[in-house]
Amino acid sequence: MKIKPLKDRVVVKFSSEELEKTPGGIYVPDVAKEKPQKGTVIEVGSEVKEVKVGDTVLFDKYAGSKIKIDDVEYLIIKEEEILGIVEK
């Protein structure tokens, strides 16, 4: 199934990151951290100007609407909710 976002919306696929280990040996999952989330842009709407398909972007933890297709989690967010583009 393919999703085509409307207007200024962007479809982002979550990036899976490894668990962080504290000095005491405790693993901290991403959901417990207060930091921006990272993902890869899969599709963009017709009015999106700043990001393109394939960009890695940062966004707030509670931004947009989460959907699950074929056991893969995606997020549909407005372009203005994207905090930045990760440059390689």
Side-chain angles (χ1 to χ4, degrees):
M1 179 185 292
K2 190 170 182 174
I3 302 169
K4 180 66 180 167
L6 301 176
K7 300 193 180 207
D8 65 340
R9 305 259 196 264
V10 177
V11 178
V12 176
K13 180 180 178 185
F14 288 107
S15 294
S16 58
E17 295 183 13
E18 294 183 20
L19 298 176
E20 181 180 317
K21 187 176 179 182
T22 66
I26 299 171
Y27 288 96
V28 182
D30 283 339
V31 295
K33 298 176 189 174
E34 288 299 325
K35 66 176 192 173
Q37 304 293 306
K38 186 171 26 171
T40 304
V41 176
I42 303 299
E43 289 287 337
V44 296
S46 61
E47 296 178 10
V48 174
K49 298 176 179 123
E50 302 274 336
V51 297
K52 60 187 182 303
V53 173
D55 282 348
T56 300
V57 295
L58 299 174
F59 49 90
D60 280 329
K61 184 176 182 177
Y62 300 107
S65 300
K66 292 181 182 178
I67 59 170
K68 194 171 192 177
I69 299 174
D70 299 329
D71 294 325
V72 179
E73 282 194 4
Y74 297 96
L75 185 70
I76 299 177
I77 58 175
K78 288 186 174 185
E79 183 181 27
E80 66 188 27
E81 293 180 304
I82 295 174
L83 302 174
I85 301 170
V86 178
E87 295 182 354
K88 299 173 186 173

